[in-house]
Amino acid sequence: MAFDAEAVRREFPILSRQVNGKPLVYLDSAASAQKPRAVIEAMTHAMEYSYANVHRGLHTLANETTDAYEAARRAVAGFINAAETEIVFTKGATEAINLVASGLGASLQAGDEIVLSQMEHHANIVPWHFLRERKGVVLKWVPVLDDGRLDVAAYQDLLGPRTRVVALSHMSNVLGTVNDAKALTQMARAAGALVLFDGCQAIVHQPVDVKDIGADFYVFSGHKLYGPTGIGVLYGKAERLAALPPYQGGGEMIATVSKDAITYADPPHRFEAGTPAILEAIGLGAAIQWLTAQDRSAIAAHEQRLYAHVRDRVAGLNWLRVIGEAPGKGAILSFTVEGAHAHDVAQILDRYGVAVRAGTHCAEPLMRRFGVTSSARASFALYNTLDEADAFVDALTKTQAFFA
Ligand code: PMP
C-alpha cells in the first residue's frame, strides 16, 4: 500500500502554517526535520508531570525521570541493534565525533594516518584536523567520482600499514550518496584501522544495524530524525568505549574522587559528564518509537518517488545543474542555477513558501571538488508530497526567470 503522506503530515503541527502567504513547502529536512506531535507531547508530558534530575535522586520524580531517560537509551539501542551500554548520549553528531577523535587522539602518533572522504561534513573533518594540528597525524582523502560516488578503488589504495582510523559519511548531506558502510568497514578492518561512520543522514532514511555494519563507532543527531535538538548518539562497540579515555570531567562520570585520585565510571556514563539533555533524550526516544511504528520501507519508497519526480521534471532545464547522481542515492537534490547565487535562489524560493538550504552545506572540500562555491539543496522527508514536489519545481522555474 502506498505511504499516506497526507495522514502523516497531520501529525506535524508546523506543516499547516503559511510562509509569506503561501503554504509552507519544507524541503530542508536534511538540515533539521520537523517534529511530530508524539515528540512534542513526550517532552511536554515530562515537564508537566514527571521531571527531576537523573541518576542521583531517591525520590519518585527522580526515579521516574531516570527510568524515562534510560528507556530512551534502550529505544536507541534497539533501533540500531546495539547494547544499551554501547549508547552514549551526546549533544549531537558533532560532539560525538569530537569525543571519539579526542579520545583516539590520545594514543595516535605523528605520521599515523586518518582516512576521510571528500564528501564529509565539517563535523567529520575538523575534529580530525585538530589531531593533524596537535599530534601530527596525516589526513588522507578518498576522492569522489563525477557522479557523486565514493572512489572505492582509491579508498582501497589509501588504506595502508599506518592507517589508524577511517571516518566516513554513511550518506552525504549534499550528494545524497549512500555509501556501502559494511563493505567499507571490512576493507578498513583488513588494514587494521578503526572505523567511524557519520550516520546523520542515513539513519533517517534506512534501517541501520550497527552489528551488521561492524564499524567501531556510529554517530547521529536527534534533530534530523524527527527528534529534538541538543541530543545525539554515539554508538561505540563495548570494547572500544571501554578503551576510550573520558572526554569531559564532572559529575556522574566518575566512580570515585578524592583529593589526589579519580576513577571513572563504566561506559556509557563515563562519557556523560554533568546533567545530560534529559528532556531531549526523552524526545529522541519518542521520535524513534514514532518512526518505528511507521512502515519504513514504504517511507523510503515514498521519498524515492518524490525525488524521481523532481529529478524528471528538472531534467530538461538547461539552466540547472544537479550535483550528485550516484545510483541508489537518497532524496536530496543539490543544484546550481546558472547566473544565480544559491543564496539568492533560496531567498526567492522562500517568497513562494519553499524552504531549501543554500551555501556550502558545511562541506567545503566537496564544493571545491565540484568547482562551485555553493549550491542550493532541496531535501525530501516522509511528510513531503508530490504536490509539494511540483510546487518546488514551479517556484524554481519562476525563480530562474529573475536571472534569465
Ligand atoms: N554529518 C552530516 C552528514 C550532517 O548532515 C550533519 C548536520 N548537517 C552533521 C554531521 C552535524 O550534525 P549536528 O550539527 O547535528 O551535530
Side-chain angles (χ1 to χ4, degrees):
M1 203 182 84
F3 177 69
D4 189 353
E6 288 296 346
V8 159
R9 286 177 73 76
R10 290 194 281 278
E11 299 190 47
F12 289 75
I14 205 170
L15 295 180
S16 58
R17 72 162 278 183
Q18 299 216 325
V19 167
N20 296 324
K22 304 276 189 320
L24 167 66
V25 176
Y26 189 75
L27 300 181
D28 198 19
S29 299
S32 205
Q34 301 299 346
K35 321 303 174 199
R37 202 169 271 117
V39 169
I40 299 165
E41 284 175 359
M43 295 176 75
T44 307
H45 176 77
M47 282 184 280
E48 289 186 346
Y49 181 73
S50 186
Y51 176 78
N53 211 329
V54 293
H55 296 142
R56 26 191 118 184
L58 292 170
H59 58 80
T60 301
L61 293 191
N63 291 336
E64 286 178 3
T65 310
T66 302
D67 286 349
Y69 180 72
E70 291 302 327
R73 195 191 307 277
R74 234 172 1 262
V76 172
F79 190 57
I80 61 172
N81 192 27
E84 276 170 64
T85 49
E86 295 175 316
I87 301 299
V88 178
F89 281 128
T90 62
K91 184 159 75 72
T94 300
E95 187 178 54
I97 299 171
N98 275 278
L99 190 164
V100 173
S102 130
L104 294 180
S107 53
L108 293 180
Q109 316 283 326
D112 284 347
E113 294 172 3
I114 296 177
V115 172
L116 310 173
S117 89
Q118 269 182 330
M119 70 171 81
E120 298 315 308
H121 186 282
H122 293 166
N124 198 26
I125 296 177
V126 181
W128 307 109
H129 262 305
F130 286 173
L131 300 185
R132 180 190 56 74
E133 286 183 341
R134 295 168 192 175
K135 307 282 296 197
V137 306
V138 177
L139 304 184
K140 299 273 186 172
W141 299 87
V142 187
V144 170
L145 299 169
D146 286 345
D147 67 357
R149 275 176 303 143
L150 198 70
D151 186 341
V152 177
Y155 168 65
Q156 179 68 75
D157 289 344
L158 284 177
L159 296 168
R162 297 228 58 180
T163 312
R164 297 284 173 266
V165 182
V166 167
L168 297 172
S169 167
H170 194 178
M171 173 178 166
S172 162
N173 63 314
V174 179
L175 306 167
T177 305
V178 179
N179 292 316
D180 185 341
K182 185 175 181 174
L184 296 171
T185 297
Q186 284 167 352
M187 291 162 76
R189 296 188 78 75
L194 295 178
V195 184
L196 176 142
F197 267 96
D198 170 358
C200 267
Q201 301 293 336
I203 193 86
V204 184
H205 304 286
Q206 63 185 73
V208 167
D209 180 332
V210 291
K211 293 269 183 309
D212 183 55
I213 292 171
D216 301 278
F217 303 102
Y218 193 97
V219 307
F220 59 93
S221 291
H223 65 96
K224 298 177 200 277
L225 192 59
Y226 309 106
T229 52
I231 187 82
V233 170
L234 162 63
Y235 154 80
K237 278 186 176 167
E239 66 271 26
R240 295 296 166 219
L241 289 182
L244 212 57
Y247 180 55
Q248 292 186 328
E252 293 303 308
M253 53 75 70
I254 44 77
T256 61
V257 179
S258 69
K259 278 186 179 159
D260 45 24
I262 43 173
T263 57
Y264 302 127
D266 290 332
H269 303 293
R270 182 191 300 169
F271 305 105
E272 295 180 4
T275 298
I278 302 166
L279 294 164
E280 291 76 5
I282 291 170
L284 176 58
I288 286 174
Q289 244 184 344
W290 181 84
L291 190 57
T292 308
Q294 313 293 322
D295 180 343
R296 291 198 76 194
S297 57
I299 290 170
H302 170 71
E303 291 173 346
Q304 284 298 322
R305 205 174 308 123
L306 295 176
Y307 180 78
H309 182 71
V310 168
R311 186 68 194 84
D312 272 1
R313 277 202 62 193
V314 301
L317 306 176
N318 60 5
W319 41 263
L320 185 128
R321 174 185 174 198
V322 173
I323 299 171
E325 303 266 31
K329 66 170 279 185
I332 288 179
L333 183 84
S334 281
F335 60 95
T336 56
V337 171
E338 200 175 273
H341 192 283
H343 285 170
D344 295 330
V345 171
Q347 273 182 7
I348 297 174
L349 282 173
D350 183 60
R351 289 196 205 165
Y352 299 104
V354 178
V356 300
R357 174 91 192 259
T360 64
H361 315 287
C362 299
E364 287 186 16
L366 188 67
M367 293 287 111
R368 228 162 272 134
R369 156 68 181 86
F370 282 95
V372 295
T373 51
S374 64
S375 78
R377 178 188 70 186
S379 52
F380 298 87
L382 50 77
Y383 41 61
N384 293 124
T385 64
L386 276 175
D387 285 348
E388 288 186 311
D390 280 327
F392 160 63
V393 181
D394 293 345
L396 187 59
T397 307
K398 288 185 204 151
T399 298
Q400 192 270 338
F402 285 83
F403 302 97

